[in-house]
Amino acid sequence: MPTDSEVTTVDGCFIRFYLHEDQRCHGRLAWEWLLEQANRLGIRGGSAFRAIGGFGRHHQLHESRFFELAGALPVQVDFIVSDAESARLLELVREAGLRAPYAHIPARFGVINPEPGEPPTEPE
């Protein structure tokens, strides 16, 4: 079991956005725009994942197959952030007018064996 000196934790949330791979925001692919904006906000990290299949509110199943039309598959963009970072990120998406269903789940996150001086809280 790691000791307190080997683990640094923060209470915050896991936030996942669901986008379409061809969805755009301010002339960019929405998932790229979202990652770029989160980086500018100082969020420590985020990832985008392209689905191999899925369906949404219209209940039309899309699958990753050779004949599937490009742009029809979902992309999820994930962040593990502090509550303050989450509020800033959600406000940014609202202001941009980006339609983005999302999940917001309380989480405790951390780093095992952090680098010396690595802050456990959000950046200034």
Side-chain angles (χ1 to χ4, degrees), residues 3-123:
T3 67
D4 288 342
S5 65
E6 295 172 316
V7 178
T8 178
T9 63
V10 176
D11 287 328
C13 63
F14 172 79
I15 188 163
R16 172 176 286 164
F17 294 92
Y18 298 90
L19 306 168
H20 291 281
E21 63 184 322
D22 66 350
Q23 188 174 354
R24 296 204 166 263
C25 184
H26 297 290
R28 307 231 13 223
L29 290 172
W31 65 267
E32 287 179 333
W33 178 86
L34 188 54
L35 287 174
E36 180 181 273
Q37 296 306 308
N39 193 20
R40 285 185 181 166
L41 288 175
I43 291 173
R44 289 170 289 253
S47 299
F49 302 92
R50 183 174 176 259
I52 60 170
F55 70 92
R57 63 189 170 130
H58 299 295
H59 300 282
Q60 182 177 1
L61 183 61
H62 297 281
E63 299 175 71
S64 180
R65 295 187 180 181
F66 179 75
F67 57 84
E68 180 71 33
L69 295 175
L73 289 171
V75 171
Q76 66 187 43
V77 184
D78 296 345
F79 303 97
I80 301 174
V81 294
S82 70
D83 291 332
E85 290 169 330
S86 171
R88 288 196 305 268
L89 188 57
L90 290 170
E91 183 58 27
L92 182 80
V93 171
R94 274 188 211 96
E95 288 175 359
L98 178 62
R99 183 184 185 284
Y102 70 97
H104 187 274
I105 304 164
R108 174 169 291 146
F109 59 95
V111 176
I112 297 173
N113 299 318
E115 294 176 2
E118 186 172 5
T121 60
E122 69 181 88

